[in-house]
Amino acid sequence: MAEIVTTETGLDRALAVLKSGEVVAIPTETVYGLAGDATNGDAVLRIFEAKGRPRFNPLIAHVGSIEMATGIALFDPLSLKLTEKFWPGPLTLVLPARQPSTIHPLVTAGLDTIAIRMPQGFGRKLIDAFGRPLAAPSANSSGRISATSADAVAADLGARIPLIVDGGATQVGVESTIVKVEGGEVHLLRPGGISAAEIEQATGRKVLRRQGGAVQAPGMLASHYAPHAGVRINADEVRPGEALLAFGAERAKGSELAVAVLNLSETGDMREAARNLFEHLQRLDRSGAAAIAVERVPTDGLGEAINDRLTRAAAPRDFPQNRT
Ligand code: AMP
Ligand code: MG
């Protein structure tokens, strides 16, 4: 079973684990990450193995400084401006990868681009001390709900990894926003912790969304973030046997009959809703309900990321169901 240490005492232990080519679960401001040395192929393989993640799904390289970032990718002026505005923070940039590079090719799944982010808090401290980029996807089994607490990591991956650093509940609660600058335009590849409106305000340019919905980057699979129970979004009523994931002050019809009810935010606060999203989904899943009905959540601001995750949680799954 994984050893659990705190952020106050865990830095040296985490460094030792990384140096030995092993993986460690760490808190970031978005969700918990499963980190390994991005320059070590064995460490990167261990990340894929612990998660059961398809190898064609590339990982985000986490950096501690701009120098580290410019050492592995080629920055255009607009991407650089985005780093000045939003790093450290929940924004990932997809950029042309420098070649040759110290980054192991498994990280980018053989693409000639690389996704990079500078995290806040413990993650950044750890990278600074380690001196190399860390590959770090979310610390959960592939396709399942992302972990926003050390307990959630332990319950899912505890038997497969040596160490978890406990930094308490994550602040943002959803993964980073992923953008790619092309031809001087900002393309949104995945909505996340920084809203499109914030990026538009910072750049003075419209953020472009490609046609065909949210699935654009390799591995942005339709089914993801899935609990064991089925998920039904934009529900106006609760059906027999369902649990309810509520939002705001007004309840869906039949809510009094729900197996369990949790509210993302009674006051309709989107930041609070993002923070609660994965934990509430997990708790409702444990209620034993056949399905989770989800009330309508607004799509503006952080709501774009929340609705993206809920839509994927509700998508038909490509792995066996424990419950139908
Ligand atoms: P996560 O699954 O939260 O670790 O997020 C990583 C996401 O970043 C995946 O869905 C990848 O598809 C995406 N990604 C990573 N590298 C690239 C890249 N070079 N180009 C496009 N998307 C990428
Ligand atoms: Mg993930």
Side-chain angles (χ1 to χ4, degrees), residues 242-277:
E242 284 185 337
L244 177 64
L245 183 60
F247 177 86
E250 283 182 27
R251 285 299 60 77
K253 250 186 290 173
S255 65
E256 59 291 346
L257 297 175
V259 174
V261 182
L262 287 174
N263 199 323
L264 289 171
S265 171
E266 307 247 357
T267 59
D269 176 343
M270 300 307 274
R271 285 184 193 279
E272 183 185 16
R275 267 200 304 276
N276 284 331
L277 178 66

Side-chain angles (χ1 to χ4, degrees), residues 1-2 22-23 46 49-52 141-142 156-162:
M1 240 357 230
E22 263 294 348
V23 295
R46 286 204 171 93
E49 276 160 11
K51 283 182 62 84
S141 299
S142 183
D156 185 358
L157 299 179
R160 279 177 271 159
I161 61 175

Side-chain angles (χ1 to χ4, degrees), residues 209-226:
R209 294 165 178 81
R210 280 176 210 173
Q211 294 198 330
V215 184
Q216 292 128 11
M220 293 198 177
L221 308 172
S223 171
H224 213 93
Y225 314 103

Side-chain angles (χ1 to χ4, degrees), residues 60-128:
I60 296 172
H62 291 70
V63 296
S65 65
I66 287 287
E67 294 69 45
M68 200 182 273
T70 54
I72 59 177
L74 301 166
F75 279 77
D76 58 277
L78 188 49
S79 294
L80 216 46
K81 183 167 178 181
L82 287 168
T83 67
E84 281 159 18
K85 190 76 194 165
F86 296 110
W87 280 7
L91 181 73
T92 296
L93 298 166
V94 172
L95 297 157
R98 266 191 201 282
Q99 286 303 345
S101 171
T102 54
I103 300 296
H104 195 276
L106 263 175
V107 172
T108 54
L111 297 171
D112 54 10
T113 53
I114 183 164
I116 308 185
R117 166 170 117 80
M118 188 191 292
Q120 283 165 15
F122 181 83
R124 185 169 179 205
K125 227 164 94 181
L126 181 63
I127 298 163
D128 278 341

